[in-house]
């Protein structure tokens, strides 16, 4: 999500997915970056994470950034350690950003299918705490934080992500109190999917 005019930030996020289509945020950046710094940043992340697809929101640069990235990718392809990636231009109007993309993240939050680094939502640090604030501030009536760049970056993944591999998760022992509580919680989430917003039931887990 390249910065536009004014005080906007350039936001980037690296997301992995599993076989259930859950999203795992593994790295994020929210800084003031110039175009050449954005290219260097993407190449660095490519070496680190070896991602397969890269999406760039192109409203502000009208494709210029994409052309520069293609050139940098071709230059790096001479390195045996470099893994190439596809590049996709993502165009978004204000309406798209607000309703079609950001709100599309809600089902992932509802079914606990969006994983952020950290032990709990309230204990996120640095750039991830900024993202958490942007998520909390965004509402259906149009209210949002002054900057929503990180949230937009995360939402843009919905356009380019694909199913990943199976991920083994550790959980409470079968038939334990914590396991039974988790089952009730998951069943509540399933039922909430078919209920209007005002009639959805809340359920708080009591274990850590």
């Amino acid at each position: 999500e390249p910065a536009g005019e004014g005080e906007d930030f350039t936001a980037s996020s690296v997301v992995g997915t599993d076989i259930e289509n859950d999203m795992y945020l593994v790295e994020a950046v929210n800084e003031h970056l110039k175009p050449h710094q954005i290219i260097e940043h993407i190449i660095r992340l490519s070496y680190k994470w070896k991602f397969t697809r890269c999406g760039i929101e192109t409203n502000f640069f009208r494709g210029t950034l994409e052309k520069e990235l293609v050139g940098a990718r071709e230059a790096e392809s001479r390195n045996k350690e470099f893994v190439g990636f596809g590049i996709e231009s993502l165009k978004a109007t204000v309406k798209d950003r607000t309703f079609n993309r950001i709100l599309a993240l809600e089902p992932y939050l509802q079914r606990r299918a969006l994983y952020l680094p950290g032990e709990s939502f309230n204990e996120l640090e640095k750039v991830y705490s900024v993202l958490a604030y942007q998520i909390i501030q965004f509402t259906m009536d149009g209210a949002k934080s002054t900057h929503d760049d990180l949230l937009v970056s995360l939402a843009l993944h919905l356009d380019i992500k694909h199913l990943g591999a199976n991920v083994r998760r550790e959980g409470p022992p079968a038939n334990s109190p914590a396991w039974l509580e988790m089952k009730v919680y998951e069943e509540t989430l399933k039922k909430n999917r078919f209920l209007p917003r005002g009639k959805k039931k809340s359920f708080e887990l009591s274990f850590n």
Side-chain angles (χ1 to χ4, degrees):
E1 166 67 5
E5 300 176 353
E7 297 297 322
D8 286 344
F9 290 85
T10 289
S12 71
S13 51
V14 182
V15 170
T17 54
D18 62 17
I19 199 169
E20 297 177 352
N21 212 23
D22 293 352
M23 299 171 63
Y24 298 77
L25 177 64
V26 296
E27 186 165 335
V29 167
N30 194 48
E31 299 177 0
H32 293 292
L33 299 177
K34 296 179 180 179
H36 77 276
Q37 294 175 316
I38 296 175
I39 300 299
E40 294 171 356
H41 170 67
I42 294 174
I43 295 299
R44 179 185 65 80
L45 289 178
S46 175
Y47 274 104
K48 181 177 181 180
W49 295 106
K50 303 186 185 304
F51 51 75
T52 58
R53 307 176 79 179
C54 177
I56 302 179
E57 204 281 319
T58 58
N59 277 359
F60 301 114
F61 290 97
R62 298 182 181 178
T64 301
L65 192 64
E66 180 184 358
K67 294 178 182 178
E68 294 294 329
L69 181 56
V70 169
R73 181 189 61 182
E74 292 177 354
E76 295 296 329
S77 65
R78 304 183 184 94
N79 191 326
K80 294 182 179 180
E81 297 181 0
F82 182 75
V83 177
F85 52 85
I87 303 172
E88 298 192 29
S89 299
L90 305 174
K91 297 181 179 180
T93 64
V94 173
K95 182 177 180 180
D96 289 331
R97 286 158 59 94
T98 302
F99 295 100
N100 296 338
R101 282 197 169 100
I102 295 179
L103 291 182
L105 287 171
E106 183 185 15
Y108 290 85
L109 293 169
Q110 286 283 349
R111 65 183 181 91
R112 295 167 61 100
L114 174 60
Y115 295 85
L116 277 63
E119 295 298 325
S120 70
F121 196 79
N122 293 329
E123 297 177 358
L124 295 174
E125 298 181 350
K126 299 180 180 179
V127 68
Y128 305 111
S129 67
V130 175
L131 173 60
Y133 178 78
Q134 292 181 7
I135 292 174
I136 293 172
Q137 289 295 306
F138 187 87
T139 64
M140 284 289 290
D141 62 6
K144 63 184 182 65
S145 62
T146 304
H147 300 287
D148 62 353
D149 312 280
L150 268 175
L151 184 54
V152 172
S153 173
L154 185 61
L156 288 172
H157 282 276
L158 298 177
D159 289 356
I160 63 173
K161 72 183 182 67
H162 52 80
L163 289 178
N166 191 23
V167 176
R168 182 179 179 180
R169 298 193 184 94
E170 295 183 0
N175 298 317
S176 66
W179 183 86
L180 293 172
E181 187 178 13
M182 178 62 75
K183 290 298 180 182
V184 174
Y185 178 79
E186 292 174 349
E187 186 63 28
T188 301
L189 289 182
K190 289 181 181 179
K191 292 180 179 179
N192 280 346
R193 296 178 191 175
F194 303 98
L195 296 174
R197 181 180 296 271
K199 293 187 177 181
K200 290 184 178 182
K201 297 181 180 179
S202 61
F203 185 91
E204 295 293 336
L205 294 172
S206 62
F207 63 90
N208 295 323

